[in-house]
Amino acid sequence: DTGVSQNPRHKITKRGQNVTFRCDPISEHNRLYWYRQTLGQGPEFLTYFQNEAQLEKSRLLSDRFSAERPKGSFSTLEIQRTEQGDSAMYLCASSWDRGGSYEQYFGPGTRLTVT
Amino acid sequence: AQSVTQLDSQVPVFEEAPVELRCNYSSSVSVYLFWYVQYPNQGLQLLLKYLSGSTLVKGINGFEAEFNKSQTSFHLRKPSVHISDTAEYFCAVGGSYIPTFGRGTSLIVHP
């Protein structure tokens, strides 16, 4: 299967701990997106990369959130000093920005529970 | 700025009946519209998209949607639903590289 993969699928952590999630996009895709999804809501955009460049990060929820894509392949999303309000599903998506398709392919998500 | 309103949070329907899930949008730039489906514990999967051209768009699993510029709508339809169509459906608008998603409509198909 060459779809988008995310690890871990589930993460339970205690308040105040740091967590890191990984996303592996479809290999030929140059764009990678991170979203947060809470219960009963649609995906909320957080940040995106084109290759290794982070082109939009103003919508990261606070300075506790950061993302990297060091070699333009996989990406990591880190949340420092987690809070209970960070509990949510974190989705990753990738796309190929040529041909004007604008279609995003989503991974299965990482469900974070902060206790 | 862009926004999406999905008018129904939940749509119950009986199997083999037709269904319409409503979506209205606003966008100040070129409009690209999408419908995604999300099954429990899975990521989103694209059903169909409108970028330009014919206003009637056909997608996977027998779904179709019609782009109506004057009414700023992009409603999703299926003439006969199956139990397996039970899922969450999201409408999204993207005039740039950052799409905006609606809150979702839960389609519940009863036998």
Side-chain angles (χ1 to χ4, degrees), chain B residues 41-55:
Chain B
N41 299 316
Q42 295 186 28
L44 280 69
Q45 178 185 1
L46 183 70
L47 277 177
L48 49 78
K49 62 187 177 187
Y50 171 81
L51 303 181
S52 65
S54 173
T55 57

Side-chain angles (χ1 to χ4, degrees), chain A residues 7-89:
Chain A
N7 288 288
R9 293 291 308 276
H10 303 274
K11 178 70 177 179
I12 300 174
T13 191
K14 293 185 177 181
R15 187 177 55 187
Q17 297 296 304
N18 298 343
V19 294
T20 300
F21 309 140
R22 175 178 171 127
C23 171
D24 287 90
I26 293 172
S27 58
E28 60 266 30
H29 286 182
N30 59 344
R31 285 182 176 256
L32 186 148
Y33 299 76
W34 284 101
Y35 295 86
R36 183 180 76 160
Q37 185 179 23
T38 54
L39 196 62
Q41 301 294 323
E44 176 186 12
F45 171 82
L46 296 178
T47 187
Y48 88 100
F49 295 84
Q50 178 159 322
N51 301 313
E52 65 275 12
Q54 190 173 12
L55 298 186
E56 174 60 60
K57 57 182 179 181
S58 65
R59 300 194 200 181
L60 286 168
L61 300 166
S62 77
D63 59 7
R64 298 183 296 106
F65 287 71
S66 63
E68 294 183 341
R69 194 183 185 196
K71 297 182 180 179
S73 57
F74 74 91
S75 175
T76 57
L77 178 70
E78 181 181 16
I79 308 174
Q80 296 182 327
R81 305 181 302 281
T82 52
E83 302 173 356
Q84 288 187 323
D86 297 332
S87 294
M89 177 77 85

